[in-house]
Amino acid sequence: MPTAAQNLASADPATDTARVAAVREWFRDAGRDLPWRGGTTPWGVLVSEIMLQQTPVVRVEPVWREWMARWPTPGDLAAASQADAVRAWGRLGYPRRAKRLWECAAAIAERHGGQVPSDPVALRDLPGVGDYTAGAVMAFAFGRRALVLDTNVRRVIGRAWRGEALPPAHQTAAERTHAAALVPEGDAAAAEWAAASMELGALVCTARVARCDECPLARSCAWLAAGRPGLAEAPRRTQPWHGTDRQVRGRILALLRVASSPVNVTGHATLEDVEPGQLDRCLEGLVADGLVRAVSSERGTYEL
DNA sequence: AATACGGGGGC
DNA sequence: GCCCCAGTATT
């Protein structure tokens, strides 16, 4: 009887290799020509990865271009204000990422001589850099072998290898072990697999509309062979939005981003519909997060 | 392990 | 209108 690890690893190493090779070949022809793929610096890759956390490529691309033109090195961003970083972040969402990227720039300038570190432990120590981003920078900025396991790769492996419609909400240790076993030997091959598997998940093997007729794994995909089961029944991950603290926080920041001077938030006409208790709670949260500063001289007044 | 955290484009 | 997206930090 096989162990659980053997079940997850692979029934056939030759199949693993063939699938990985097929995805890499597909990528060379079908991969998008994105500005942070080649022709940029490690800093450009790091900026792109932070921006791409939970935000689609099409929305990131214009902001990334403006950001890199304005702050081409970590030192340039470190010399700017946090407020300017949050403003330049625009409407990408999760503005704490802008703060963390700004903190990244300072840490890189101070601790790493202005150069993005090429060491996974040092990367992981940077604010806003988790396991995914550290691996992505190793692979895409430095061309090194790394495990790059994002939502796209999880879905591709889950379908093609394990026949599952969608991966569970949270990564498991077994899933990481399986994914790590599929990473090719050799830096260049591993980095290409990382980009290719992500791209396949982003363009073809998407969450709700799988374009199996375009897929390089169609002939060997476990999920397709099984008749693509379970997609309709898979749990949704939608989150409430209207009227939530998240929305109110976003509305407050939207006001402060465009203001050149402190704003009386609690008396602002566009926030009249927000309950005072919720408004206060959100403002306190934004202050606690270090995204917003209260102007002490004037009650209810804030700035970035 | 669960929860908080934005915003918009595709369907 | 629902659903998802190159996740991370905190509890």
Side-chain angles (χ1 to χ4, degrees):
Chain A
M1 178 165 170
T3 67
Q6 284 169 332
N7 276 335
L8 280 178
S10 67
D12 179 2
T15 304
D16 289 351
T17 304
R19 286 193 183 123
V20 167
V23 174
R24 290 172 56 197
E25 285 172 28
W26 167 85
F27 175 71
R28 285 170 215 152
D29 181 57
R32 291 168 291 184
D33 187 18
L34 299 172
W36 46 84
R37 279 186 184 152
T40 189
T41 58
W43 170 241
V45 173
L46 177 59
V47 171
S48 78
E49 291 301 339
I50 300 280
M51 289 183 172
L52 287 162
Q53 291 168 359
Q54 297 287 283
T55 305
V57 165
V58 286
R59 292 181 52 205
V60 164
E61 188 166 348
V63 180
W64 182 90
R65 290 183 189 280
E66 293 171 27
W67 191 285
M68 293 304 296
R70 186 170 178 184
W71 299 304
T73 72
D76 295 319
L77 180 58
S81 68
Q82 179 187 307
D84 279 344
V86 172
R87 284 194 186 91
W89 195 257
R91 306 184 69 82
L92 282 184
Y94 293 142
R96 54 180 50 171
R97 292 182 294 164
K99 175 182 169 66
R100 289 178 182 146
L101 183 51
W102 179 75
E103 292 168 341
C104 264
I108 291 167
E110 291 170 17
R111 305 206 300 258
H112 301 290
Q115 303 294 316
V116 175
S118 59
D119 166 55
V121 175
L123 285 167
R124 191 64 178 70
D125 277 341
L126 295 171
V129 175
D131 287 336
Y132 162 75
T133 302
V137 171
M138 288 303 295
F140 304 144
F142 300 111
R144 299 284 301 279
R145 187 175 189 272
L147 175 62
V148 181
L149 191 56
D150 79 326
T151 188
N152 291 304
V153 179
R154 295 183 66 212
R155 189 172 52 249
V156 168
I157 294 174
R159 285 179 180 167
W161 270 263
R162 293 195 296 273
E164 302 166 357
L166 291 173
H170 298 286
Q171 281 186 32
T172 62
E175 202 182 346
R176 293 184 66 81
T177 301
H178 185 197
L182 300 179
V183 177
E185 297 300 323
D187 287 326
E192 186 178 56
W193 160 245
S197 53
M198 288 173 66
E199 192 78 332
L200 187 65
L203 297 182
V204 174
C205 194
T206 58
R208 296 290 160 183
V209 183
R211 300 171 177 86
C212 299
D213 54 328
E214 302 173 28
C215 184
L217 299 180
R219 277 174 293 182
S220 69
C221 177
W223 184 60
L224 179 57
R228 314 200 331 177
L231 192 53
E233 301 77 29
R236 305 300 206 233
R237 293 178 207 169
T238 188
Q239 61 189 9
W241 170 245
H242 187 73
T244 61
D245 284 5
R246 297 162 83 129
Q247 185 188 31
V248 172
R249 285 168 57 106
R251 291 173 64 187
I252 294 167
L253 273 183
L255 278 180
L256 299 183
R257 266 200 310 268
V258 298
S260 53
S261 58
V263 177
N264 185 336
V265 173
T266 56
H268 203 278
T270 67
L271 294 172
E272 274 178 349
D273 58 304
V274 180
E275 294 291 331
Q278 185 182 28
L279 192 53
D280 287 342
R281 181 173 70 244
C282 290
L283 283 165
E284 283 178 30
L286 287 167
V287 171
D289 289 345
L291 284 169
V292 158
R293 178 165 41 219
V295 177
S296 53
S297 59
E298 223 175 328
R299 190 166 187 79
T301 298
Y302 295 83
E303 64 183 347
L304 288 182

